[in-house]
Amino acid sequence: MNLTKLKERVFPRQVFYGWYIATAGAGTNFIVLGITFFGFGVFLEEFRLTSGWSVTAIALGYSIQMLQQGLLAPVTGHILDRVGPRKMAVAGVTIISLSLLLFSQATILPIYYAACMVMALGQGMGGPNAFSLAVMRWFVRKRGRAMSIVTTGNGLGYFSTMILAAMIAGFGFHETFVVLAVVIFVVGIPLALVIRDRPENFGLLPDGEIQGGDSQSAAAQAGRSRATGGLEVGEAVRTPAFYLLVLAMAAGAAAQIVWIVFQVPHLRSAGFSLGFVGIQAAAYGMAAIPLRWAVGWLGDTFGRKKMYMLAVSLEGIGLFFFAFVSPDRWWLFIPFYLTFGIGHAGWLVMSQSLPADFFGSKHFAAIRGLIISLQIPVSMVVPLFMGFVFDTRGNYQLAYLVIACITVSGALCLGLSRRPLWIQMTAPKLAAVARAGDGKTAP
């Protein structure tokens, strides 16, 4: 069997290729984020127990990681736009594998901090960021649904808590990093190679639109304009909407940090066993998968901006319940899952799409990178704040209550934006193009 026939069997032409990219993105998010992000809480606790380092010292490594990602985000975003997501995804996976090998040797803090910096470089260059750019280029109308598939991998990543705990028990703490480095490289490279930079390069249209007659060609041109057009970076930063979007996304990012990084330490300090923590994380991840599919459809149908505002509001309410969870108050998991679960799913899907929704996809990676860089204060301060509260009070309760209030404020920030979305701004012009394709003139 020749290579062409093999490709057709693996990727049937009846299915729009963009869906294969979204599925590969889900696989990448599962292994990369499951290890480097969702698993950080497990690693944090193990570093504290085996090395005797304080939570603040360990959290500083995460803050350094966030600082470096933020500082490099505009640069790596610009390179992503220029070089393309496929090459950057391969480079990112390779560097992340090297960082895990360095973590395996982290018996002193300087090596640990160096490993955090190498990992930040890999995460910024490719992996999930590369797939996000590819999806923005391959989809317009169905962008929310496509991103919900990609973020399915994030939901599966919650199983990593349970898997990593078992691996640490079986292989040993530092040896587990070596195994993970091999897994990410062997699995991540083939997934990265699934990416194709643009549908137009292969005679395809965004969302799988079909080319046809004159009117269909005009509609196709409209779809291409929406998928490839957009503001320059300089134009975007001169709009108030850009800074309101930065604040709204920073508020959501604060909730993401305290949930992913500190859920394991918080539940352990509240009296739950590591085994229970792993099971509940896996259960949360399984429940989150259908929620992400649902919010992706809801965002595409009713508006991704509105969905984001609802999402961060629910996240903040959920964190309030989570702050008071304990073995005696286990029932608080129920309202927590009902609020934070839906809100977190909405935040994760919508936050990937909003920069393109506001400013177009032409410079999506660069604009999103600049947004991330402006979130540096939040990304650095939140982990240190959480560590400081624990080191001084012996628990994370107060810290979670403060972050809950900050998260809800994200809905207000985005609600203050009055800028029309990119698809709304281009609609009149593209409607005129479509009428011209039908032989009609614009009024």
Side-chain angles (χ1 to χ4, degrees), residues 250-412:
Q256 176 84 340
I257 292 171
V258 300
W259 166 239
I260 299 301
V261 179
F262 290 95
Q263 63 161 315
V264 174
H266 172 56
L267 293 176
R268 292 294 302 277
S269 69
F272 294 99
S273 67
L274 181 59
F276 173 84
V277 172
I279 292 172
Q280 75 82 29
Y284 178 89
M286 182 61 69
I289 293 172
L291 285 176
R292 287 166 191 178
W293 296 339
V295 298
W297 178 82
L298 288 171
D300 289 343
T301 304
F302 299 104
R304 291 186 282 266
K305 177 181 174 182
K306 293 178 182 177
M307 195 65 207
Y308 185 93
M309 294 170 63
L310 175 63
V312 291
S313 299
L314 290 174
E315 277 190 305
I317 296 171
L319 288 178
F320 176 83
F321 292 120
F322 191 65
F324 294 99
V325 163
S326 69
D328 295 332
R329 294 190 291 265
W330 60 267
W331 52 271
L332 286 174
F333 277 115
I334 298 173
F336 166 71
Y337 285 143
L338 292 175
T339 52
F340 188 86
I342 297 173
H344 187 219
W347 175 85
L348 195 61
V349 174
M350 300 307 132
S351 65
Q352 302 291 323
S353 303
L354 279 178
D357 289 341
F358 270 95
F359 308 113
S361 64
K362 182 179 180 181
H363 296 290
F364 166 78
I367 292 174
R368 185 167 178 266
L370 186 57
I371 290 173
I372 293 172
S373 71
L374 293 176
Q375 294 176 14
I376 288 176
V378 172
S379 300
M380 286 198 66
V381 170
V382 167
L384 295 176
F385 171 68
M386 298 292 290
F388 173 77
V389 170
F390 179 83
D391 289 339
T392 55
R393 298 175 63 91
N395 62 67
Y396 296 95
Q397 192 175 88
L398 175 62
Y400 268 100
L401 294 176
V402 172
I403 299 302
C405 296
I406 293 174
T407 302
V408 173
S409 70
L412 175 62

Side-chain angles (χ1 to χ4, degrees), residues 73-82 129 133 136-137 233 355 360-372:
V75 178
T76 55
H78 176 72
I79 296 174
L80 261 171
D81 286 327
R82 294 290 299 272
N129 288 336
L133 173 58
M136 295 306 111
R137 290 177 173 178
V233 177
S361 64
K362 182 179 180 181
H363 296 290
F364 166 78
I367 292 174
R368 185 167 178 266
L370 186 57
I371 290 173
I372 293 172

Side-chain angles (χ1 to χ4, degrees), residues 16-17 21 80-82 84-85 133-134 136-138 195-206 224 227-229 361-364:
F16 179 53
Y17 192 82
I21 295 176
L80 261 171
D81 286 327
R82 294 290 299 272
L133 173 58
M136 295 306 111
R137 290 177 173 178
W138 281 78
I195 294 178
R196 298 295 184 270
D197 290 345
R198 293 183 184 276
E200 295 83 2
N201 297 345
F202 301 90
L204 301 174
L205 298 175
R224 281 195 297 270
T228 61
S361 64
K362 182 179 180 181
H363 296 290
F364 166 78

